[in-house]
Amino acid sequence: SGAAAGGEGSSLGSHKRAAPPSRGLVQPPRMGRKKPTVVDRSGKELTEVPEDVLENDSLKKLSLGMNSIKELPAELGKLTNLETLNLRYNDLTRIPDCVF
């Protein structure tokens, strides 16, 4: 017969939908949901590091470039998983020792 044996044929039920493309937005974590490990808040006219960023201990890459941030809070040093920090094109006047 023309049917494939052993489930090798194509069936509509076996296809998975692709996830919608990311638009650079990071939604706040919900119960049981993992916190994002990459956050990009570049060019958002920020004057300080957002509180939700400082509370994200899972963060590995943080981009805050092209804002108007003048000082970094000491709490930034608590992000122990942070590997990459982009602060280009800000108005930084002081960087706390704990960031290094």
Side-chain angles (χ1 to χ4, degrees), residues 15-77:
H15 294 289
K16 292 184 179 177
R17 257 190 173 162
S22 171
R23 292 184 172 84
L25 302 175
V26 177
Q27 296 179 355
R30 295 182 187 153
M31 293 296 277
R33 187 172 175 193
K34 289 184 179 180
K35 295 178 183 178
T37 58
V38 177
V39 172
D40 185 351
R41 301 273 175 91
S42 298
K44 302 291 184 191
E45 300 179 14
L46 299 175
T47 57
E48 58 186 31
V49 179
E51 193 68 33
D52 66 309
V53 168
L54 296 173
E55 294 171 355
N56 184 348
D57 55 358
S58 299
L59 202 57
K60 289 186 176 184
K61 183 175 182 179
L62 174 59
S63 185
L64 296 172
M66 297 181 288
N67 283 297
S68 298
I69 298 171
K70 292 183 181 183
E71 291 188 18
L72 296 178
E75 291 85 3
L76 200 59

